[in-house]
Amino acid sequence: MPVSVTRQNGLPTVRGYAGPPEHGATGGCSSGRRGEPADRQRQQRGMESMRRSRTALSAIALTAVVGMVLTGCSQKSNTGTSGSGQASVGFPETQDLPPVAGKPGGTFRLGITEPTAIDPYNAQESEGILVNKALFTGLVNVKPNGDVYDGVASKWEPNADCTAWTFTLKPNQTFSNGEPVDSAAFKRGWERTSAKDSGSDVAYHLNEVKGFDEMQAGSATTLSGVDATDPASLKVALSKPDCEFNLRTAAPPLAPVPTVAGAADNKTYNDQPIGNGPFKMDGPWQHDRGIKLVRNDTYGAGPKANLDAVEITITPADTGIQAEYDGFNNGQFDWARVPTPLLSQARSAQEPKNQWISKKTAGINYLLVSVTTKPLDTADARKAISMAIDRAAITQGVFQGSQVPADAFVPASFTKVYQPGVCEACKYDVDEAKNLAQKAGLTPGTEVNFQFNTGGGHEEWTAAVKQQLETNLGLKVNYSGVPFRDLLVNEQQPDASGLFRAGWTADYPTAGNFLTPLLSTAAIGAATPQDVAVGDNRGRYSNPQFDDLLAKAAATQDEAERDDFYKQAEKIAIGDDLALIPLFARQQFRMANTATFGNVRMDFWENPTLSEITLK
């Protein structure tokens, strides 16, 4: 869309758009932020900037938050304390209710903020992925626990060195308009995403496929590595080994599309995609108002959905979670997130009714750091920031004991790769923080920018981060809140500096999906330091030794050996360089109408399991 670009206080500003919040927006923490790809399409089309509408907490609210957090500021670790003296471990996870036999019928209602896209070529954050996953089924699927199972593909296998994969497709698969879902449909979708003119924010999921670089450069119109000669078999040649490539095919950009999709700028298809998933669109996306889905009775990749319809209300960008919470309590919604200050209240009200869902997910909440610009361009400076943050105090004072302080970047859900304590600088130690700050030239009065996205439940804890950094290190923190899309655009700028709230939920179940897109040199996506960063490595961290370990991991078929490479890589990027600052393990909370519906669970992407939900 056309925008008017101005600058305020030396920072870029975009007027005229308020974007969506991030993946599962109750997460993210700090004391003292796919996965959340940015609006790169606008950047690639020359619109390099964003809105900087400063959001401030009221003096009363900020004072209350500061008071809660200061109660824990004398601690020298992140173990935390509670009334019983036990370590802070987060709210207990809830068990899934017994499954209910499905029957057709019912309308499931929920609220989301305006997605960036629901078309596969650019679906990216939790909201867009929720709709996209209902409309499309890829080669493989992922269960809520991260286990991979068949989607359109009945089997998949690599060659000896993982430079080529063959996917055997299930027969008689169709789109909801009757077109066949064959190998050509996948080749069509992948090339549509990869095309330079598409300007996809998430095309990088295909960057290992031969021909991708040429398509991105505009010198080719097809992916040379994708062979769709046999309609029942998709053969993929990669430019480098990847023994986990099959996992990538669960991501929305690798979905099949019918011939009617046309190019990525097909507005009709953008707003009313025709897919092969368990649901289909009931009319076009009504922007800033709603999206309605109905059951796709021709679905053949798995069991048909039970629900007749899913009604999605678009909530305001700045107050989305509160609108969800209120909507659930007044009977408007059947699924809702919970504002941070109301977590304990919601749990107390809903848990006795089995309408409370608490799950540790494959994600991490952290601070994105601009590592190439001052004042945080040294590891000592970043470690000083991290050690000045009392994660345990925020867990108790802001999150009411619901969150778990992080001391690693790869989540605990990846049990064979998880390294508790790999982030030694995640310990709260003000004396050491001051020593490191002095070594790094991070003297009292130094200005540090800190920005978060509004509407995602981050106001309280980010205010606590600001307070702790100012109190413990004497920094002057330039603190502001903007709509999520604008936050993402700001992170991309070559002159970005300081800290950004960040959170990442896995696109597919591997530790590599945390380390590669967020920390590898190739994922910066900027040809020169003066270019915007169109990849997900917005902090612009680059370490050849780290990159080499990731390459070795991708080329290793043996799982244990591959996991060891991932561990070594995390030790370098997080343990030594602290390129990103882990804050809290990602734990998500939802209210769900289990009185009316059965099989209501949280899926791998932190959304409701729409294809399984049924009337009781």
Side-chain angles (χ1 to χ4, degrees), residues 252-490:
L254 280 77
V257 298
T259 58
V260 297
D265 61 357
N266 181 352
K267 178 66 173 174
T268 299
Y269 191 82
N270 297 157
D271 284 354
Q272 194 171 355
I274 294 169
N276 67 320
F279 293 90
K280 60 184 180 180
M281 297 287 289
D282 184 15
W285 173 4
Q286 302 298 310
H287 287 277
D288 297 312
R289 293 173 53 196
I291 297 170
K292 185 173 182 180
L293 312 176
V294 294
R295 183 175 57 248
N296 175 14
D297 286 320
T298 67
Y299 184 61
K304 290 181 173 58
N306 300 304
L307 294 168
D308 284 340
V310 179
E311 290 185 355
I312 301 169
T313 298
I314 306 297
T315 58
D318 288 350
T319 57
I321 291 184
Q322 185 68 49
E324 290 181 41
Y325 179 80
D326 292 341
F328 184 89
N329 286 324
N330 66 29
Q332 179 186 3
F333 297 144
D334 300 304
W335 174 273
R337 295 176 294 179
V338 181
T340 300
L342 300 177
L343 284 170
S344 292
Q345 177 180 321
R347 178 187 175 194
S348 297
Q350 305 301 336
E351 195 167 32
K353 298 184 290 185
N354 289 322
Q355 297 196 141
W356 172 256
I357 296 176
S358 170
K359 294 291 182 183
K360 292 179 170 64
T361 64
I364 185 73
N365 294 293
Y366 62 101
L367 293 179
L368 169 65
V369 189
S370 296
V371 303
T372 63
T373 55
K374 292 184 179 302
L376 304 181
D377 55 343
T378 67
D380 283 343
R382 298 187 290 273
K383 290 178 180 179
I385 292 289
S386 181
M387 298 187 82
I389 296 171
D390 190 344
R391 294 159 177 80
I394 291 185
T395 290
Q396 296 299 330
V398 177
F399 288 104
Q400 304 157 33
S402 66
Q403 299 290 325
V404 180
D407 56 6
F409 194 72
V410 175
S413 58
F414 296 98
T415 56
K416 297 177 182 179
V417 184
Y418 178 52
Q419 300 183 93
V422 69
C423 177
E424 294 183 3
C426 286
K427 294 182 293 187
Y428 176 59
D429 188 329
V430 175
D431 292 337
E432 182 61 17
K434 289 179 177 179
N435 291 335
L436 291 167
Q438 184 176 17
K439 287 174 57 179
L442 206 62
T443 57
T446 300
E447 294 192 23
V448 176
N449 295 327
F450 179 26
Q451 194 162 85
F452 69 97
N453 60 289
T454 57
H458 306 299
E459 287 77 4
E460 292 82 8
W461 73 261
T462 55
V465 172
K466 172 184 183 294
Q467 176 268 326
Q468 288 192 339
L469 294 180
E470 291 181 337
T471 298
N472 293 335
L473 295 179
L475 303 176
K476 179 182 179 182
V477 179
N478 299 321
Y479 173 71
S480 63
V482 297
F484 183 57
R485 178 174 289 186
D486 298 330
L487 176 79
L488 297 178
V489 175
N490 195 25

Side-chain angles (χ1 to χ4, degrees), residues 16 28 55 80 86 121 184 190 254 279 281 360 368 554 559 570:
T55 299
Q86 298 298 312
Y121 93 95
W190 295 14
L254 280 77
F279 293 90
M281 297 287 289
K360 292 179 170 64
L368 169 65
E559 183 180 1
E570 184 185 19

